[in-house]
Amino acid sequence: MTARKGSGRPWLEGFVIVLSILLAFGIEASWSELGDRREARRLRELIRVDVVATQSMVEQMRVGSERLANSGRDLLAVLADPASEEATADALLTLGSIFVLWRWAPTNHAYVEALSSGRLRFIEDEQLRLTLTRYQAQLESIEALVESIETQYYGQLEPFMVANTVYSEIAMVLWRDSLVDAPFSTDFQRLAQSRELWNLLTFRLEMELGLQLSLDRLDRVTQQVLDLLPSVD
């Protein structure tokens, strides 16, 4: 029996339709994969920009912390073995410069947003994702330490300073001249013999040393992050 003309067309047309669908899915998958790769690269670059910005802030904070710790040690040394009443008073005039608060504001918007939105999944490198998690944990650890310093300042130090000093005498030199001189003065000799002041200074020195160790840990994990991220041209 002779096949009717065009009898194979339904099969051929079905094959073409299936092939077209498969090709469409393949093209869509390829475009999706390409988009994911582009998003991953963009996210990695944004995170690197944030990490470098934070690295600069951390270095400034380290310099300030080391200066504060050195000033604290010098003052404690004078209080432990005073050379003269005048030297003791001069040393205590630095109190306002020693007890300062740190502003901890790391730039980590890209990572936090990617984590909360689920976009962090675009970064498939497991080692990088783990290192970023450790980096974020170290940032939060330093934030908690800075908050502890602030708690000590407002909860213990500030009340002590109000009760035992004339603050305009020991304020930071930067704005001391802009303040109003008081009609009374600080009893520096009594202040020098205060066990409470000694402990406050010691506790703050201890916190600053802890802060510096935490900054060192952050430096190490920061370098690990940068080693895994592409440079931004």
Side-chain angles (χ1 to χ4, degrees):
M1 179 181 292
T2 304
R4 287 184 300 164
K5 186 177 180 179
S7 61
R9 287 182 180 176
W11 175 86
L12 179 59
E13 290 174 356
F15 174 77
V16 171
I17 291 173
V18 172
L19 181 60
S20 299
I21 293 173
L22 291 176
L23 286 173
F25 276 121
I27 292 172
E28 183 179 354
S30 297
W31 276 109
S32 178
E33 183 178 351
L34 179 60
D36 288 354
R37 288 202 299 269
R38 287 176 176 172
E39 181 63 22
R41 177 173 177 79
R42 178 174 175 275
L43 183 56
R44 287 156 64 103
E45 290 176 348
L46 288 174
I47 290 175
R48 183 182 178 93
V49 170
D50 282 359
V51 171
V52 171
T54 297
Q55 193 176 35
S56 177
M57 183 205 71
V58 166
E59 185 53 35
Q60 294 176 13
M61 189 175 189
R62 180 194 306 283
V63 171
S65 179
E66 290 176 350
R67 185 184 299 119
L68 188 153
N70 289 335
S71 297
R73 285 194 198 90
D74 291 343
L75 178 52
L76 284 169
V78 172
L79 296 179
D81 187 20
S84 67
E85 291 186 6
E86 183 179 357
T88 300
D90 288 344
L92 286 169
L93 287 173
T94 65
L95 271 176
S97 299
I98 291 176
F99 290 113
V100 296
L101 295 176
W102 299 120
R103 179 177 178 269
W104 179 242
T107 307
N108 60 337
H109 313 300
Y111 175 82
V112 171
E113 190 280 330
L115 182 63
S116 62
S117 66
R119 291 169 58 246
L120 196 62
R121 62 184 171 80
F122 290 117
I123 297 179
E124 297 181 350
D125 186 335
E126 291 294 336
Q127 184 179 3
L128 174 57
R129 291 173 65 170
L130 177 60
T131 306
L132 286 172
T133 299
R134 292 174 53 231
Y135 174 79
Q136 180 64 23
Q138 191 59 33
L139 293 182
E140 294 173 1
S141 174
I142 294 175
E143 180 180 12
L145 183 53
V146 170
E147 288 178 353
S148 294
I149 291 174
E150 184 173 330
T151 297
Q152 185 206 28
Y153 182 92
Y154 289 114
Q156 298 174 298
L157 175 65
E158 194 172 62
F160 176 85
M161 301 284 265
V162 169
N164 295 279
T165 72
V166 176
Y167 190 74
S168 57
E169 294 180 328
I170 64 171
M172 293 183 68
V173 177
L174 179 63
W175 46 69
R176 191 179 296 174
D177 292 339
S178 300
L179 301 177
V180 178
D181 292 335
F184 28 79
S185 60
T186 302
D187 184 346
F188 287 109
Q189 291 310 304
R190 183 178 66 82
L191 187 62
Q193 297 170 10
S194 168
R195 178 180 299 182
E196 187 175 358
L197 176 63
W198 178 275
N199 287 336
L200 285 171
L201 281 167
T202 302
F203 289 159
R204 182 55 188 271
L205 177 58
E206 184 179 47
M207 284 186 171
E208 289 303 320
L209 296 177
L211 177 60
Q212 291 167 29
L213 286 176
S214 292
L215 294 176
D216 287 342
R217 296 190 193 100
L218 180 60
D219 276 346
R220 289 193 290 272
V221 71
T222 294
Q223 191 54 55
Q224 293 171 3
V225 169
L226 294 177
D227 288 344
L228 293 169
L229 288 172
S231 299
V232 179
D233 298 329

